[in-house]
Amino acid sequence: MCGIVGYVGSKDAYPILIKGLHRLEYRGYDSAGIALINPAGKLNVYKSKGKVTELEHFVEDKDTSGTTGIAHTRWATHGVPAERNAHPHRSNDGALAMVHNGIIENYLEIKADLTAKGYTFSSETDTEVLVNLIAERRKTEPDLLHAFAAALREAHGAYAVCLMCRDEPGVIYAARMSAPLIFGLGTGEHFVASDIPAFLPYTRQVIFLEDGELVR
């Protein structure tokens, strides 16, 4: 029962994402993390084992600027509860960050193919495999939207995913298959979350994504 929150707009994303994670704490989790694109275009990822408050303490002296971000609370499935297994996960090239709820059933097969191509993995998660599959598909697809869709067609199982790229500040991608994901429409801002309370203070205009739907 992991939690996802994503934000893109004109406000500072960090406080919105952290408050959203707190509103999803009822779902249960063992680690938390956040990814933000700062005004200089740097993709910052911060993760910690334990509660959201521990993540807040961890980032007190870190750069949490930016108006685009994703955040996650994780309940361990693939890999033990540890910072290395916490979300968000980055691609090897450092360009992508992704959070994910669910299970990619064929991740070991995909991981073997990517390892043969030279990819390395620092976690035991299926999520790190998926974000690197998207990175690999970027090499042959016309843009990130098509690479995202192509990778998801190869991933078998249940998922709700939220993706961001340092090359596209101001953009978040999300998709679902057999796992809840909700799109919130605001005024000059948009939200993605695994449950409505995460962004309820900001908008009540909600779209419940259906299986196989993708949103940019």
Side-chain angles (χ1 to χ4, degrees), residues 5 11 19 38 42 56 60 71-72 97 118 135 142 144-145 175 180 185 188 198 202 206 212:
V5 189
K11 301 187 182 78
K19 290 174 184 175
N38 75 6
K42 182 181 179 182
E56 290 178 275
E60 282 176 354
H72 190 264
L144 182 54
L145 179 66
L185 292 83
Y202 309 102
V206 173

Side-chain angles (χ1 to χ4, degrees), residues 90-96 114 118-122 128 131-132 135:
R90 290 181 191 260
S91 55
N92 277 194
D93 61 10
L96 305 177
L114 292 174
Y119 286 82
T120 60
F121 299 90
S122 58
E128 188 183 13
V131 74
N132 278 296

Side-chain angles (χ1 to χ4, degrees), residues 2-108:
C2 311
I4 288 175
V5 189
Y7 173 80
V8 57
S10 58
K11 301 187 182 78
D12 285 338
Y14 174 74
I16 294 171
L17 295 172
I18 286 292
K19 290 174 184 175
L21 289 185
H22 278 300
R23 294 187 188 98
L24 296 179
E25 286 188 288
Y26 71 91
R27 298 169 71 89
Y29 65 102
D30 52 48
S31 61
I34 192 167
L36 300 152
I37 299 176
N38 75 6
K42 182 181 179 182
L43 177 58
N44 291 311
V45 176
Y46 308 117
K47 307 188 283 188
S48 68
K49 181 182 174 183
K51 298 299 183 183
V52 175
T53 51
E54 293 177 54
L55 175 64
E56 290 178 275
H57 292 318
F58 178 71
V59 303
E60 282 176 354
D61 60 346
K62 307 291 194 302
D63 176 14
T64 57
S65 61
T67 59
T68 305
I70 57 178
H72 190 264
T73 51
R74 173 183 185 260
W75 191 257
T77 51
H78 292 100
V80 298
E83 182 181 332
R84 70 180 183 278
N85 290 323
H87 300 207
H89 285 284
R90 290 181 191 260
S91 55
N92 277 194
D93 61 10
L96 305 177
M98 191 176 73
V99 296
H100 161 228
N101 293 349
I103 295 175
I104 305 302
E105 295 169 357
N106 60 332
Y107 84 103
L108 288 175

